[in-house]
Amino acid sequence: MRLLIILILFIFLNKSNSINIKQQHHIQQPKPSNGYKLSNGLALTPPMGFNYWNFDGCKTNLINETMMMNTAYAMSTNGMSKVGYEYVNLDDCWMAKTRDENGNLRPDPIRFPNGIKYLADYIHSLGLKFGIYGDIGSETCKGYPGSEKYLEQDAKMFAEWGVDFVKMDGCNMQVSDMKKAYTDLGQYLQDTGRPMVYSCSWPTYAYVENITMPFDYIEGICNLWREFQDIRDNFTEWTRILDEMEDSIPKRSQFAGPSHFNDPDMLEIGNGFENVVEYKSMFSLWSIIAAPLIAGNDIVSMSKEILEILINDEVIQVNQDPLGIQGNRVYKDQQLEVYQRTLINDSYAIALFNRGEVDADITITSEMLNLTNHQNYNIRDLWAHTDNGTFSDTFTASVQPHGTVMIKLSPKINNSIHLPLKYKKYFLNKN
């Protein structure tokens, strides 16, 4: 009888919650201008992969077929692919300076002598996926051919080449024209029948020009979208992006979820201008906010220390949590901050972040985390890979300058019937 009551309450509450969520978030969503609605079933968790821009930029002497193939091979053998890195992506400057006689995009013939399909096929043979870069405007940011007036043609070419991920920049186009352009390209990509993750850059250009961005619209047409200024390998710069993500109105986290994620830009881990502590902080916080984990360093020659950061599977599990909920900052006192992310199975990831220049103790409490269910939690340190006792009301950690202690709180009591924590207290210890 008790089990029947629990099941009936669970079904009723979840149905009610589902209706409320739809009313609050989805009913008001504007309909895309051409009827297109993203439905590729991809990026159910934040994409993971590689892109060379942060360390190679537009150095054409380094951007070539051999570099991409060597990177893909390294990812397939160094443990990265095993923990979820799968996309090997081109960025700007891979193209020839002109289209071919049929108006098709083409790679630089010297640097990519065998063509893009050859490269994609090799990457696929390793069990990985291939990503490409384009620009919605007349030219890319570095002056290569853009896709304006060629959106449908380029979408078909990407599909023919075997592309799995399309990053579409927004240089050389008016922000006022981007809604239609990004919507149309999304439709053309979907029409090819080939599943391709669709990454848009519209919010970045709206941000630069201080134009209000309709996030409730873009979440319906793109799998992820770049925001704010380009990232740099500098602690102050990437934490500024983090602040903008947290402080911007409307709150960015409300638009994130399976198949549609905010993108604060690629990782800078391993590019040499920060220390290991700072790189661990970046990886922790990008995981807490459900950001794509796109490695932007030299994969082939990176150190073991950097590799170990990038393949920390316990932190990656937070990033890849199937609920897809973006975490938020829940506490700030000058240089000391706490971030919280809700995970599957009534668990939570917590990041205790010290922006200061000296060691500091950071304390979390059940009140700070809004845990009012009288539940005890197991504490797991995701960098030390240790179990650190039980959290019932408070936990304190000493955190290095620019460092992050990242823990996971998992309920000590798991009922056979899975109920939201706020309802479990009515059934625990009942006969």
Side-chain angles (χ1 to χ4, degrees):
M1 185 66 180
R2 174 176 171 269
L3 180 60
L4 179 60
I5 293 172
I6 292 173
L7 284 170
I8 293 171
L9 178 61
F10 177 58
I11 293 169
F12 172 77
L13 290 171
N14 276 275
K15 183 177 181 181
S16 175
N17 287 342
S18 175
I19 293 171
N20 288 336
I21 289 171
K22 289 179 181 178
Q23 289 175 339
Q24 293 169 9
H25 187 53
H26 290 289
I27 288 179
Q28 299 301 319
Q29 183 175 336
K31 185 178 180 180
S33 57
N34 67 356
Y36 158 69
K37 174 72 174 176
L38 181 74
S39 59
N40 59 19
L42 301 175
L44 297 178
T45 58
M48 298 175 61
F50 160 83
N51 180 300
Y52 56 72
W53 188 258
N54 285 355
F55 78 96
D56 267 354
C58 193
K59 299 173 184 174
T60 53
N61 60 313
L62 301 176
I63 301 167
N64 55 55
E65 179 183 280
T66 300
M67 181 275 288
M68 292 292 290
M69 292 173 69
N70 288 345
T71 297
Y73 180 78
M75 287 174 61
S76 72
T77 57
N78 66 7
M80 292 182 72
S81 64
K82 290 182 179 179
V83 295
Y85 292 90
E86 58 178 341
Y87 295 100
V88 185
N89 296 347
L90 291 167
D91 208 283
D92 204 348
C93 307
W94 63 269
M95 303 176 197
K97 279 291 187 178
T98 59
R99 291 173 177 267
D100 69 14
E101 63 275 11
N102 297 314
N104 293 317
L105 290 174
R106 59 193 180 112
D108 183 285
I110 296 175
R111 294 183 285 122
F112 294 89
N114 295 297
I116 295 301
K117 190 175 188 314
Y118 174 87
L119 176 60
D121 287 347
Y122 175 78
I123 290 171
H124 291 153
S125 76
L126 298 173
L128 299 171
K129 296 179 180 179
F130 172 65
I132 207 160
Y133 168 98
D135 194 290
I136 209 83
S138 58
E139 292 184 342
T140 73
C141 299
K142 292 298 182 179
Y144 291 83
S147 291
E148 186 178 18
K149 301 180 181 178
Y150 294 90
L151 295 177
E152 185 173 14
Q153 184 171 345
D154 290 352
K156 291 178 178 178
M157 181 58 70
F158 294 158
E160 287 180 23
W161 282 339
V163 170
D164 306 294
F165 185 115
V166 176
K167 174 185 174 180
M168 215 64 186
D169 214 334
C171 280
N172 300 301
M173 172 169 276
Q174 296 295 319
V175 174
S176 58
D177 294 330
M178 288 186 178
K179 179 178 181 179
K180 183 179 188 308
Y182 277 108
T183 303
D184 288 348
L185 179 58
Q187 182 68 71
Y188 294 139
L189 290 171
Q190 199 152 282
D191 287 347
T192 68
R194 180 172 181 81
M196 291 180 268
V197 172
Y198 184 28
S199 172
C200 305
S201 300
W202 176 12
T204 290
Y205 294 88
Y207 164 83
V208 169
E209 297 189 22
N210 198 28
I211 295 173
T212 300
M213 182 67 209
F215 286 98
D216 55 352
Y217 182 90
I218 198 170
E219 70 161 320
I221 66 168
C222 302
N223 293 118
L224 56 152
W225 48 88
R226 265 292 317 282
E227 298 185 60
F228 314 117
Q229 70 272 18
D230 284 353
I231 202 165
R232 292 172 55 195
D233 189 12
N234 177 284
F235 180 81
T236 300
E237 291 295 323
W238 68 256
T239 54
R240 182 181 302 162
I241 293 174
L242 188 67
D243 286 339
E244 289 173 317
M245 182 72 76
E246 283 299 310
D247 298 335
S248 294
I249 298 174
K251 193 74 171 176
R252 296 293 192 264
S253 58
Q254 68 181 293
F255 304 110
S259 285
H260 49 96
F261 293 98
N262 293 290
D263 181 2
D265 211 349
M266 298 169 285
L267 298 169
E268 288 281 7
I269 296 166
N271 284 330
F273 292 94
E274 299 179 67
N275 60 44
V276 169
V277 171
E278 293 165 335
Y279 285 145
K280 286 183 176 180
S281 285
M282 183 182 210
F283 200 67
S284 300
L285 292 161
W286 256 230
S287 294
I288 283 279
I289 64 171
L293 297 181
I294 306 297
N297 62 305
D298 186 343
I299 300 299
V300 174
S301 62
M302 67 179 162
S303 69
K304 181 180 179 181
E305 196 171 34
I306 295 301
L307 175 62
E308 287 177 350
I309 295 173
L310 292 175
I311 63 172
N312 183 330
D313 61 337
E314 293 196 71
V315 176
I316 289 171
Q317 285 173 29
V318 171
N319 178 265
Q320 296 290 294
D321 186 81
L323 293 183
I325 297 172
Q326 179 172 327
N328 288 299
R329 186 170 57 206
V330 296
Y331 172 82
K332 179 176 176 63
D333 182 7
Q334 298 182 15
Q335 301 298 312
L336 308 181
E337 301 178 1
V338 175
Y339 289 76
Q340 178 180 8
R341 180 176 176 182
T342 301
L343 306 176
I344 196 171
N345 294 327
D346 298 333
S347 298
Y348 299 90
I350 312 295
L352 296 79
F353 180 36
N354 176 12
R355 295 191 188 216
E357 302 301 325
V358 296
D359 289 356
D361 287 345
I362 301 178
T363 297
I364 58 172
T365 66
S366 55
E367 181 179 8
M368 178 192 298
L369 304 178
N370 196 30
L371 302 180
T372 59
N373 43 62
H374 311 293
Q375 171 76 63
N376 291 330
Y377 295 86
N378 294 312
I379 303 170
R380 177 70 175 177
D381 188 312
L382 304 187
W383 285 107
H385 305 295
T386 57
D387 296 318
N388 290 9
T390 301
F391 176 87
S392 56
D393 188 51
T394 66
F395 170 80
T396 300
S398 178
V399 188
Q400 301 176 71
H402 294 189
T404 300
V405 170
M406 190 172 183
I407 61 173
K408 180 179 179 181
L409 302 180
S410 303
K412 290 186 74 70
I413 300 175
N414 278 313
N415 290 353
S416 58
I417 301 300
H418 184 87
L419 288 174
L421 280 173
K422 61 182 178 180
Y423 303 124
K424 278 187 178 175
K425 64 182 179 181
Y426 296 109
F427 301 103
L428 296 176
N429 301 320
K430 300 285 185 181
N431 295 319

